[in-house]
Amino acid sequence: MISLPARLGALALGLALVTAGCGADAGGSAAPAGQTVQTLRYVAVGAPATAIYDPHGGVGNQSDLTRFALMYDVLATLQPDGALEPRLATSFEPDDQLTTWTIRLRQGVTFTDGRPVRAADVLFSLNRIADKAAENFGRMAMFDMDASRVVDDHTLELVTVKPYAEVPRALASFTFVIPEGTTAFDRPVVGSGPYRMTGGNAQRAVLERNERWWGERPPTPRIELMAVPDPQARAQAVISGQADVASSVSPATVQQVSGNPGLKVVHRPAVTMYPFVMRLDREPFDDPRVREAIKLATDRQELLDKVFLGYGKLGNDLLTPADPSSPAGVPQRTRDVARAKELLAQAGHADGLTLELATTTSYPGMDTAATLFARQLGEAGITVRVTTAPPDTYWTKVFAQSDFYTGFFGGIPFTDVARVSLLSDSPTNETAWHRKDWDAAYDEAMATEDEARRREALGKLQRELRDEGGYVVWGVGDGLDLASSRVSGLPDGPGFDLAFIEQVRLDG
């Protein structure tokens, strides 16, 4: 095991290497020798060994996602309240059937090499995302890309495979635009975003302000972005003054720095959850009485208090409680050990039940949650053996494969969760939730143009999933970012909002 001083030493060396790499030209120029440039040093979640330059496949590192959000324009983003904020796109106009969408683009936008950004570049980028569906969980699965076309330099038409009312939300955040015909992704690709990469590498990047960006001028001339996998090392980088921002630190760290006037904590309310996942197609979880018993045996308050240290709120087995379509007025599920035992007896397990629960240490508290949960289930007569798998294999050998394990969701919209995990043909249907009537009701909801009616219909589907599905959502924790007191403007919304940091400012 590497000691904390050693990790900090490596971090210091990494930041030094970033600065030293500023002379490299990757679409911009370095500051004149001897001139001090105000620089935001941002330490993000990421494994350096898996850092990438391709923005269209699977993006597993937050450090990569943040770098892409700085370098490339996207069609739109989602505001913290779920409302759409157009970016490169200025409008999304559907036809009467909600199957052909006309997207108009902002004019006068150029890549950092001077080329204009055209509709052909956008369609090329969307086609690449569609072509890499196996890596990005089918992000463009709702579109018929062969039928989609460029209308003119600032207009394109996207065709959906069936009526789909939420095309603008489907195209938010991840639609990074690159020049048509780009083939090399072993180095930074030219973009049109608020920053351009001028030095370092995918693990330790230097980005300088793009003075020709169409949007509000970023207040910080330079950002140094580094991938660090260990949450304690990220936090210590800020505490020691080697960095200005550390994303996703542990609740314990937040308690430790409380009262330090030189530091601040930014809360992204209720964005992190570690649901316990049960596969409905395998015994004993194929019996709805067993699933309900496990949900009733869960002490949600204890898990919230001891895993998230109170930074969050109780879960009610709803996967996306912050989504605008999340159903309101659902009674909070509370612990009832006696009822859990009754249900187990009805299911043929009056003498008890033995299970194996997998977990990992990828995110702070995942292993603690599993251990507490196992003890709680024991009080209902369920013996649980917890196994801890290493983070580098957990998401390829346990996730969506094991019968019973600790999962992760990070505040993404319900429609994204449905696309990835809930429809019968979803690429990662981890609970084997295969219900044709549910699929049909989802399609009907997405074909409903009236937003209020559509949200109500989606809420009913979430209520059904809560009552009968294979997720135990015991709590939703706050995302916690640690920063110097000089930093302002850090994003505080759910999901991918944390990656859009172009308006972060260093005061003083």
Side-chain angles (χ1 to χ4, degrees):
M1 178 180 293
I2 301 174
S3 67
L4 180 58
R7 290 199 301 266
L8 290 176
L11 179 60
L13 175 61
L15 291 173
L17 289 173
V18 168
T19 306
C22 290
D25 189 356
S29 57
Q35 179 177 325
T36 300
V37 177
Q38 188 184 53
T39 302
L40 175 73
R41 300 163 300 168
Y42 191 104
V43 184
V45 182
T50 59
I52 58 174
Y53 286 120
D54 188 342
H56 293 151
V59 183
N61 289 335
Q62 185 216 331
S63 56
D64 292 326
L65 178 62
T66 304
R67 175 163 37 86
F68 296 152
L70 291 169
M71 293 178 63
Y72 306 113
D73 271 321
V74 294
L75 291 174
T77 58
L78 294 177
Q79 297 178 340
D81 63 357
L84 190 81
E85 180 181 345
R87 299 273 289 220
L88 187 58
T90 58
S91 65
F92 300 85
E93 301 169 7
D95 65 358
D96 292 340
Q97 287 74 43
L98 299 178
T99 56
T100 300
W101 287 73
T102 300
I103 301 174
R104 304 190 190 282
L105 305 178
R106 192 175 299 276
Q107 300 192 28
V109 180
T110 62
F111 292 107
T112 56
D113 62 3
R115 284 179 284 177
V117 176
R118 306 161 301 139
D121 301 307
V122 175
L123 189 60
F124 171 80
S125 300
L126 297 181
N127 269 311
R128 280 202 84 244
I129 297 172
D131 290 343
K132 299 176 79 66
E135 299 176 33
N136 58 40
F137 302 108
R139 181 162 292 279
M140 297 292 291
M142 66 287 295
F143 295 103
D144 181 348
M145 296 307 298
D146 291 335
S148 301
R149 69 186 184 98
V150 169
V151 176
D152 59 41
D153 277 354
H154 298 98
T155 312
L156 66 151
E157 282 183 356
L158 289 184
V159 178
T160 59
V161 296
K162 59 184 70 172
Y164 199 88
E166 299 214 6
V167 160
R169 288 170 66 87
L171 294 174
S173 301
F174 254 94
T175 46
F176 301 116
V177 176
I178 63 174
E180 181 183 18
T182 302
T183 58
F185 293 90
D186 58 344
R187 57 183 180 271
V189 178
V190 171
S192 62
Y195 283 79
R196 56 188 180 183
M197 186 169 166
T198 59
N201 53 38
Q203 298 86 12
R204 302 179 298 269
V206 177
L207 302 109
E208 296 186 3
R209 184 168 54 204
N210 176 10
E211 300 293 353
R212 293 188 294 185
W213 190 51
W214 57 267
E216 181 181 354
R217 187 172 188 258
T220 305
R222 176 185 288 161
I223 295 176
E224 293 176 359
L225 179 64
M226 186 173 178
V228 176
D230 183 76
Q232 189 178 10
R234 291 195 300 272
Q236 287 297 329
V238 174
I239 293 170
S240 65
Q242 296 177 63
D244 302 299
V245 181
S247 67
S248 300
V249 300
S250 71
T253 295
V254 172
Q255 289 190 341
Q256 291 167 7
V257 302
S258 177
N260 186 328
L263 301 173
K264 64 167 55 173
V265 177
V266 175
H267 293 249
R268 291 177 278 113
V271 300
T272 300
M273 61 175 68
Y274 306 147
F276 298 113
V277 182
M278 302 174 282
R279 283 195 67 95
L280 278 61
D281 59 346
R282 299 175 189 168
E283 296 181 350
F285 308 113
D286 58 344
D287 190 321
R289 294 168 296 188
V290 172
R291 300 196 298 272
E292 185 179 355
I294 288 174
K295 293 173 184 178
L296 289 173
T298 305
D299 187 334
R300 299 159 193 269
Q301 189 66 56
E302 182 186 36
L303 283 161
L304 179 67
D305 291 344
K306 293 183 178 178
V307 177
F308 292 137
L309 303 186
Y311 296 111
K313 63 180 182 180
L314 288 178
N316 199 16
D317 299 327
L318 293 165
L319 279 175
T320 56
D323 191 274
S325 67
S326 186
V330 180
Q332 174 64 50
R333 181 168 276 140
T334 57
R335 195 179 198 213
D336 190 338
V337 175
R339 177 58 180 159
K341 289 180 178 180
E342 289 177 5
L343 288 167
L344 290 171
Q346 293 172 17
H349 304 290
D351 295 330
L353 182 63
T354 299
L355 302 172
E356 182 174 298
L357 174 68
T359 191
T360 189
T361 56
S362 289
Y363 296 92
M366 287 184 77
D367 52 342
T368 302
T371 301
L372 285 170
F373 183 55
R375 180 180 57 74
Q376 293 171 3
L377 295 191
E379 296 173 16
I382 304 173
T383 301
V384 179
R385 185 171 73 91
V386 176
T387 61
T388 303
D392 57 346
T393 59
Y394 189 79
W395 304 105
T396 56
K397 295 185 178 180
V398 176
F399 169 71
Q401 298 178 53
S402 293
D403 297 356
F404 195 30
Y405 66 92
T406 311
F408 174 83
F409 280 101
I412 63 177
F414 174 69
T415 50
D416 276 0
V417 175
R419 171 182 54 81
V420 172
S421 300
L422 300 176
L423 297 170
S424 294
D425 60 355
S426 291
T428 310
N429 195 323
E430 58 182 339
T431 62
W433 176 260
H434 298 299
R435 297 197 175 187
K436 293 299 183 183
D437 57 343
W438 197 92
D439 295 350
Y442 180 81
D443 287 344
E444 183 178 349
M446 297 308 288
T448 302
E449 185 172 9
D450 182 82
E451 185 173 55
R453 288 175 52 217
R454 184 170 69 253
R455 287 183 177 180
E456 182 181 4
L458 292 173
K460 290 179 180 178
L461 292 174
Q462 293 170 65
R463 177 69 183 265
E464 181 182 345
L465 180 71
R466 170 204 182 262
D467 293 341
E468 302 177 34
Y471 290 104
V472 182
V473 183
W474 50 266
V476 191
D478 293 348
L480 302 170
D481 300 330
L482 183 64
S484 161
S485 59
R486 299 172 55 224
V487 175
S488 60
L490 280 169
D492 58 6
F496 303 124
D497 184 57
L498 83 167
F500 292 88
I501 64 170
E502 73 275 357
Q503 293 304 321
V504 175
R505 175 186 302 275
L506 272 174
D507 300 317

